[in-house]
Amino acid sequence: MSAVNDTNFNSAVFLLTGIPGQEDVHLWISIPFCLVYVISIVGNSVILFIVKTDPSLHEPMYIFLSMLAITDLGLSIATIPTILGIFLFNSREISLSACFAQLFFIHSLSFIESSVLLLMAFDRFVAIRDPLRYASILTPPRIAKMGLVFMLRSVALIFPLPFLLKRFQYCRANVLSHSYCLHQEVMKMACSDITVNSIYGLFIIVFTVGLDSLFIFLSYVMILKTVLSIASRAERLRALNTCVSHLCAVLVFYTSLISLAVIHRFGNSSSHLLQIFVGYVYMLVPPLINPIVYSVKSKHLRARIIRAFIK
């Protein structure tokens, strides 16, 4: 493995990592990765197509689901070239410019997905707490405004990161732990003081993922309080059942995201293979699981998908 010593920004490259020690079977390992990507892209694309073409699905819950599908598609597309390039062609080199662009899209889309999950929690809260005013509160223009605000928040907070990284010189070992670029890992390759990057990275994590997860938790506290006040046991179960898909999406996304962040910041002694495994779970599992869970749990959506394929 080569290292880049005392190199400047224009000539430096990073080396991405597949699965160390398994280089001889990378071609075989690429098969499940290809399947995961195909299922992720097809699954999310089908949801977008069904929601767009079926007027009966033009409701707040399905609009938010479409936002989630778009975000998951973006995350898949942002990582496909480098991950499959490693396993299919042993193409490990990535220029700093390409690396900075990739980490910008990965982090922006990740924070947007966190925001969409918060909006979906708010959607479930309104639907259970005040069902008679559900449609009047979550109107399409209001949904569009909320989505735009959260998207701009994520992009604005991530926008400085490539420029903060660009000012560094990279003179340490240039081998990254994952098959894609992340800010918290790239900044450690610099031979300069990274205090500003470290503090700013922690700030945006707290301001986005921290606040979003807190508000999601509070939303479910209010939902649970409302559900427990319902007299009928059957009605309570039916109300909670509408939240199962969203809870699965929240648990998968935040568990992998927080685990990866903790490992990079505090887990210097953790296993390298553990870092790689958590990194793949963080990047591959949510786009794969979300369309499957929502298609299975939503009878209305499932019926429309079946009808479309039968036709």
Side-chain angles (χ1 to χ4, degrees):
M1 293 185 181
S2 63
V4 177
N5 295 317
D6 298 323
T7 182
N8 59 34
F9 165 77
N10 292 319
S11 62
V13 296
F14 288 130
L15 293 179
L16 302 170
T17 300
I19 300 180
Q22 304 297 321
E23 287 79 7
D24 294 341
V25 292
H26 269 184
L27 188 60
W28 293 104
I29 296 174
S30 69
I31 296 175
F33 279 98
C34 289
L35 288 175
V36 167
Y37 275 124
V38 169
I39 294 172
S40 300
I41 291 174
V42 171
N44 287 292
S45 298
V46 166
I47 286 179
L48 286 173
F49 175 76
I50 296 297
V51 173
K52 183 179 185 301
T53 56
D54 193 332
S56 68
L57 296 178
H58 294 175
E59 299 176 2
M61 181 177 71
Y62 297 107
I63 294 174
F64 289 129
L65 180 57
S66 297
M67 292 181 182
L68 187 66
I70 291 172
T71 307
D72 284 336
L73 277 174
L75 281 170
S76 296
I77 293 171
T79 54
I80 282 175
T82 54
I83 293 181
L84 292 187
I86 291 172
F87 288 103
L88 290 174
F89 310 109
N90 196 32
S91 176
R92 297 181 56 203
E93 287 192 359
I94 183 171
S95 68
L96 266 69
S97 297
C99 187
F100 295 164
Q102 186 183 50
L103 69 86
F104 170 79
F105 284 109
I106 287 176
H107 289 298
S108 296
L109 290 166
S110 295
F111 292 158
I112 291 173
E113 179 151 349
S114 175
S115 301
V116 172
L117 291 173
L118 171 59
L119 292 175
M120 296 176 86
F122 178 67
D123 167 79
R124 292 298 83 208
F125 167 70
V126 175
I128 294 173
R129 186 69 179 266
D130 201 354
L132 296 179
R133 298 180 57 218
Y134 177 67
S136 62
I137 293 175
L138 292 174
T139 60
R142 189 168 291 167
I143 291 172
K145 289 177 183 177
M146 290 190 296
L148 180 61
V149 167
F150 281 116
M151 183 189 73
L152 291 176
R153 180 192 70 163
S154 301
V155 172
L157 288 172
I158 297 301
F159 187 75
L161 290 185
F163 299 99
L164 289 173
L165 292 170
K166 185 177 181 178
R167 64 196 177 94
F168 292 142
Q169 286 190 333
Y170 296 88
C171 55
R172 298 182 183 178
N174 63 335
V175 181
L176 302 178
S177 300
H178 303 292
S179 305
Y180 49 85
C181 295
L182 294 174
H183 169 257
Q184 57 264 40
E185 188 176 20
V186 171
M187 70 176 181
K188 294 178 181 178
M189 303 295 169
C191 53
S192 309
D193 183 12
I194 60 171
T195 303
V196 172
N197 285 61
S198 184
I199 293 174
Y200 184 70
L202 183 61
F203 164 75
I204 59 178
I205 284 286
V206 172
F207 189 69
T208 54
V209 175
L211 284 180
D212 291 347
S213 57
L214 174 62
F215 286 129
I216 289 173
F217 173 76
L218 293 176
S219 296
Y220 272 98
V221 170
M222 298 301 294
I223 287 172
L224 188 60
K225 183 179 178 181
T226 303
V227 169
L228 292 176
S229 67
I230 300 174
S232 170
R233 182 173 181 273
E235 290 293 326
R236 289 200 298 268
L237 291 176
R238 188 166 67 179
L240 289 174
N241 190 52
T242 64
C243 301
V244 171
S245 302
H246 179 255
L247 279 172
C248 290
V250 168
L251 289 174
V252 169
F253 176 77
Y254 282 107
T255 300
S256 58
L257 175 61
I258 293 172
S259 298
L260 188 63
V262 169
I263 285 175
H264 275 291
R265 288 194 173 272
F266 309 109
N268 293 328
S269 60
S270 63
S271 167
H272 190 202
L273 286 177
L274 177 62
Q275 292 186 24
I276 293 172
F277 174 75
V278 174
Y280 282 129
V281 170
Y282 164 63
M283 198 53 59
L284 302 178
V285 173
L288 173 69
I289 294 295
N290 289 341
I292 295 174
V293 170
Y294 275 96
S295 299
V296 170
K297 291 298 297 179
S298 174
K299 294 180 180 179
H300 199 182
L301 179 62
R302 184 172 69 247
R304 293 298 185 275
I305 292 173
I306 293 172
R307 186 196 304 174
F309 279 100
I310 289 176
K311 283 185 178 181

